[in-house]
């Protein structure tokens, strides 16, 4: 699985969009980008995933660059409950189903 | 509603004792996983299973064992607990071959080994 790089921490004002970047410059053609988050003391929670097209669901949007070497998770209207550690994970779908978690980005949403 | 549960949620034990952490899921998922989470390390995979009677070692499997006798349960056993195994343990499950292969995590078990 390709390695990912994320900033260790970010701040966002409540109600504003939170844009969380992830660098995965060694990504292979068959590797997907997954995003999970972990709210304090809880188990990780799936957010969204994509291959090369931008994706949107009820929680977030995922923007993947054309060369697929980086991506951005967008929380359109961050709330205090979005304060969490966000993990960007790259892996081949259909193989092993193992997730390799890095240290993620700690997002702090403030009033 | 289908769910994944872990028990106990908190456990204190002594060095050298055998401890078993339970994980139960009602989604009928084939895949089940055990992770541990420690400060500075993120989540690390201990063991995983792709179905009944199947078990595999993860990156930090020493001192741990699992068995899969049915689809719903994957208990994690610490054969002889050590202080280095003080951690938060998360169980997860996923459906094989689904469009997302999303892993669903349990609430975690906090284990303290004295």
């Amino acid at each position: 699985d390709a390695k990912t790089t994320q900033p260790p921490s970010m701040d966002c004002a409540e109600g504003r969009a939170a844009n969380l970047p992830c660098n995965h410059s060694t990504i292979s053609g068959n590797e997907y980008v997954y995003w999970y988050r972990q709210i304090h003391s809880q188990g990780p929670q799936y957010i969204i995933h994509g291959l090369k097209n931008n994706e949107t669901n009820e929680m977030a949007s995922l923007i993947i660059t054309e060369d697929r070497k980086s991506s951005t998770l967008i929380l359109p209207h961050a709330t205090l409950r979005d304060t969490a550690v966000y993990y960007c994970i790259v892996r081949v779908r259909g193989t092993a189903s193992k997730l390799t978690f890095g240290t993620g980005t700690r997002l702090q949403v403030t009033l | 509603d289908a769910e994944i549960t872990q028990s106990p949620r908190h456990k204190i034990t002594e060095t050298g004792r055998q401890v078993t952490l339970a994980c139960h899921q009602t989604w009928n998922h084939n895949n089940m996983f055990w992770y541990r989470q420690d400060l500075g390390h993120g989540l690390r995979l201990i063991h995983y299973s792709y179905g009944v009677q199947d078990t595999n070692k993860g990156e930090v499997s020493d001192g741990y064992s699992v068995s899969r006798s049915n689809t719903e349960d994957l208990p994690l056993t610490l054969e002889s607990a050590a202080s280095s195994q003080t951690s938060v343990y998360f169980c997860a499950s996923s459906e094989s071959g689904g469009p997302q292969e999303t892993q669903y995590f349990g609430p975690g078990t906090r284990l303290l080994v004295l």
Side-chain angles (χ1 to χ4, degrees):
Chain A
D1 297 338
K3 181 178 173 59
T4 62
T5 303
Q6 298 177 253
S9 64
M10 294 182 65
D11 292 330
C12 179
E14 189 176 35
R16 306 296 292 267
N19 297 282
L20 293 94
C22 179
N23 181 285
H24 32 79
S25 58
T26 61
I27 192 170
S28 301
N30 60 348
E31 288 184 310
Y32 285 69
V33 180
Y34 287 77
W35 282 84
Y36 281 74
R37 73 179 182 182
Q38 186 173 23
I39 296 170
H40 182 62
S41 298
Q42 299 181 20
Q45 176 189 24
Y46 165 83
I47 302 173
I48 199 168
H49 79 286
L51 181 62
K52 51 186 173 182
N53 297 321
N54 297 338
E55 303 287 345
T56 296
N57 63 20
E58 64 278 4
M59 289 182 68
S61 294
L62 174 60
I63 308 298
I64 303 174
T65 58
E66 191 169 347
D67 63 8
R68 302 209 321 122
K69 293 184 177 182
S70 65
S71 60
T72 300
L73 178 74
I74 301 173
L75 307 178
H77 305 287
T79 70
L80 296 177
R81 286 180 290 183
D82 291 321
T83 293
V85 178
Y86 288 77
Y87 297 97
C88 170
I89 300 165
V90 170
R91 70 173 185 85
V92 177
R93 188 169 71 85
T95 60
S97 288
K98 293 179 290 182
L99 294 174
T100 301
F101 287 82
T103 53
T105 295
R106 183 173 297 277
L107 176 68
Q108 180 68 52
V109 181
T110 58
L111 290 172
Chain B
D1 286 345
E3 61 178 354
I4 182 166
T5 57
Q6 294 183 235
S7 62
R9 296 293 313 278
H10 302 271
K11 174 77 175 178
I12 300 174
T13 191
E14 295 177 344
T15 301
R17 289 188 179 266
Q18 183 181 80
V19 176
T20 297
L21 308 183
C23 175
H24 179 80
Q25 52 95 5
T26 58
W27 283 298
N28 203 37
H29 286 166
N30 286 329
N31 306 326
M32 295 185 73
F33 310 84
W34 274 104
Y35 296 86
R36 62 177 286 176
Q37 185 170 36
D38 308 288
L39 281 175
H41 287 281
L43 283 97
R44 293 181 290 175
L45 184 63
I46 305 172
H47 281 287
Y48 57 100
S49 168
Y50 292 145
V52 177
Q53 303 301 329
D54 176 77
T55 61
N56 306 278
K57 294 181 178 180
E59 62 178 307
V60 290
S61 61
D62 287 348
Y64 303 94
S65 64
V66 293
S67 62
R68 189 88 180 271
S69 58
N70 58 53
T71 301
E72 296 79 17
D73 300 288
L74 185 70
L76 177 71
T77 298
L78 287 68
E79 303 293 344
S80 177
S83 57
S84 60
Q85 294 177 308
T86 292
S87 187
V88 181
Y89 292 85
F90 290 102
C91 177
S93 71
S94 71
E95 181 179 5
S96 293
Q100 297 177 351
E101 292 182 280
T102 300
Q103 290 193 16
Y104 297 90
F105 284 79
T109 294
R110 291 183 177 273
L111 176 67
L112 174 60
V113 182
L114 299 174

